[in-house]
Amino acid sequence: MQKIAVIAGDGIGIDVTTEALKIMRCANEKFRLGLELIEFEYGADYFLKTGVGLPKGQMEDFRSNYAAVYLGALGDPRIPDMRHGREILLALRFDLDLYINLRPVKLLNVRLCPLKGKTKTDIDFVVFRENTEGPYVGAGGFLKKGTPDEVATQEAMHTRKGVERIIRAAFEYARLHRRKRVTMSDKSNVLRYGHDLWQRVFAEVGAEYPEIEKDHYFVDALVMKMVKSPEHFDVIVTENMLGDIITDLGAMLQGGLGMAGSGNIHPGRTSLFEPVHGSAPYMAGQNKANPIAAILTVAMMLDYLGKPNAAEAIEKAVQQAVDECQVTADVGGKLGTRECGDYIVSLLQRLH
Ligand code: NAD
Ligand code: IPM
Ligand code: MN
């Protein structure tokens, strides 16, 4: 028995997690996965009620007793500084040391691609986003806050160990999945300390993988290339904040944020799975959100948990729904969130 903690969170996180749960339950039964799904109410309402993102001891409970955490999305206009997001999402990433943010960019149908003349084979790469360092560490402060002389600092942290393990993870993935090239992206022409470390470690680690091509783009050139020639990319590895930005663009290449799943992973440990998108408050509760990102995220989680058959079946069901245009309006369909989720469940049930 493996325990999965399910946190729907806020906004459309709740809408899409309802559908993701249907898929989890269906796969659990069909493939006899032996998963125990336990739902938690954490999110904006819980934070506003209790003053904390997670109660004391919860992180330890996740770490010791759960194989994975599944999260819909967080973000609520009543908490403009996103404190609960830091205490739940960023805390999970940091405290569980989930250093790999794996974000695949895969076009499922040419109809969904905003780029002229690009096909399914052109848009198929994965991003390895460093997930525990960079500007996300929360180091900095204010001086003379609120005065005309105010100073604010925000430091980015890059450690040799941290940079090395994410770069190595990207190369190992490329080797295992027979991907031809690993591309590193940074802004080392300007950020001469932190990103210089990235340059040196990429060269050192890359030398251990002679069969894999290596190249490098400054991040401004990388986003240009992602639009002009996405077929160039197999595996992209980059630091935390650049990875955040790159993967929203990546999501658009595959049809939008409603199509992009992701995993926050530390191999062998309790890991966190969530779609790339946020809580999109203005469309919450309206049966409009696309559940596919959340459903593909379930497939990523099952793959991580060593259930590749179930993961593949879910991907196949999603592929069929997309090909038949049995999808939500953001990707050209006419279905609501629930109807799309139900349709994918019905396909999954029928697959053998
Ligand atoms: P967002 O991803 O919530 O939405 C951006 C736009 O993308 C939406 O307006 C919508 O048009 C589209 N979109 C996103 N998901 C969709 C879906 N499933 N189906 C259809 N369309 C979809 O980003 P935002 O508006 O910048 O942020 C809203 C809140 O979410 C903020 O509080 C932000 O901090 C938070 N956020 C949370 C996460 C997370 O929990 N992992 C990720 C990103 C943003
Ligand atoms: C994401 C989100 C988060 C991030 C926010 C909500 C903290 O944008 O998962 O992409 O910046 O990592
Ligand atoms: Mn983001």
Side-chain angles (χ1 to χ4, degrees):
M1 202 61 140
Q2 282 174 310
K3 276 164 73 167
I4 311 295
V6 179
I7 306 172
D10 306 327
I12 63 164
I14 298 168
D15 308 5
V16 299
T17 302
T18 304
E19 306 314 309
L21 268 167
K22 288 181 192 166
I23 292 284
M24 284 184 232
R25 292 195 186 102
C26 173
N28 203 16
E29 207 168 295
K30 184 181 171 85
F31 296 93
R32 298 179 201 288
L33 301 179
L35 302 180
E36 190 186 345
L37 308 172
I38 297 149
E39 293 179 64
F40 292 87
E41 299 284 299
Y42 305 134
D45 286 339
Y46 183 90
F47 177 82
L48 291 169
K49 221 165 28 201
T50 64
V52 294
L54 295 176
K56 212 163 174 263
Q58 185 58 73
M59 193 62 78
E60 273 322 301
D61 181 38
F62 286 152
R63 190 199 314 271
S64 317
N65 303 319
Y66 288 79
V69 179
Y70 184 93
L71 173 66
L74 295 168
D76 187 296
R78 294 170 297 170
I79 312 172
D81 67 359
M82 191 68 175
R83 194 172 127 201
H84 72 309
R86 287 196 302 283
E87 292 186 9
I88 304 171
L89 174 59
L90 294 184
L92 281 160
R93 289 179 184 168
F94 280 79
D95 294 1
L96 300 179
D97 197 28
L98 306 175
Y99 65 94
I100 301 168
N101 193 338
L102 178 58
R103 296 189 154 179
V105 177
K106 187 169 186 222
L107 180 64
L108 296 187
N109 188 296
V110 69
R111 195 183 73 236
L112 305 187
C113 187
L115 304 180
K116 225 186 316 176
K118 298 298 175 189
T119 62
K120 278 173 68 165
T121 48
D122 291 329
I123 296 171
D124 182 8
F125 59 91
V126 294
V127 179
F128 276 71
R129 167 189 178 191
E130 203 293 321
N131 214 27
T132 55
E133 303 193 339
Y136 277 61
V137 293
F142 299 111
L143 209 64
K144 303 182 188 170
K145 190 174 178 189
T147 73
D149 298 323
E150 177 161 358
V151 178
T153 60
Q154 189 89 48
E155 289 170 59
M157 201 180 291
H158 304 273
T159 69
R160 176 168 276 272
K161 278 184 194 149
V163 176
E164 186 176 333
R165 66 183 179 172
I166 186 69
I167 289 176
R168 192 172 295 287
F171 276 107
E172 285 295 323
Y173 178 96
R175 183 172 269 178
L176 187 68
H177 293 85
R178 300 187 181 285
R179 295 284 195 155
K180 143 173 123 183
R181 176 183 299 125
V182 175
T183 301
M184 195 272 275
S185 187
D186 62 21
K187 191 71 187 169
S188 55
N189 47 350
V190 178
L191 306 178
R192 291 301 307 137
Y193 306 114
H195 291 201
D196 184 69
L197 177 64
W198 272 81
Q199 285 283 332
R200 284 180 282 120
V201 175
F202 184 64
E204 280 170 34
V205 175
E208 296 174 34
Y209 299 84
E211 81 280 18
I212 297 168
E213 274 179 41
K214 294 118 213 154
D215 68 354
H216 169 263
Y217 285 86
F218 297 124
V219 68
D220 42 358
L222 181 95
V223 290
M224 179 278 293
K225 185 90 175 169
M226 279 172 71
V227 170
K228 188 162 181 273
S229 319
E231 65 278 5
H232 176 79
F233 299 108
D234 283 321
V235 178
I236 295 174
V237 62
T238 191
E239 69 88 49
N240 205 340
M241 191 160 85
L242 301 184
D244 178 44
I245 299 166
I246 287 169
T247 52
D248 264 34
L249 174 59
M252 291 316 293
L253 300 183
Q254 51 185 329
L257 280 162
M259 299 298 294
S262 98
N264 302 260
I265 295 169
H266 186 130
R269 296 201 197 166
T270 309
S271 291
L272 165 70
F273 294 83
E274 41 149 12
V276 173
H277 67 72
S279 60
Y282 80 91
M283 61 159 66
Q286 296 173 38
N287 200 34
K288 279 190 188 153
N290 183 348
I292 288 180
I295 291 170
L296 290 172
T297 298
V298 173
M300 289 181 74
M301 178 175 81
L302 296 182
D303 197 46
Y304 176 74
L305 296 175
K307 327 273 187 206
N309 295 342
E312 254 172 60
I314 293 169
E315 283 166 8
K316 224 167 142 183
V318 167
Q319 179 70 62
Q320 191 177 332
V322 169
D323 289 342
E324 294 173 6
C325 209
Q326 296 294 323
V327 290
T328 46
D330 56 304
V331 280
K334 293 197 170 76
L335 300 186
T337 310
R338 286 189 289 277
E339 292 70 28
C340 178
D342 288 341
Y343 190 71
I344 296 170
V345 168
S346 74
L347 293 176
L348 182 61
Q349 270 160 348
R350 269 182 272 145
L351 278 171
H352 30 243

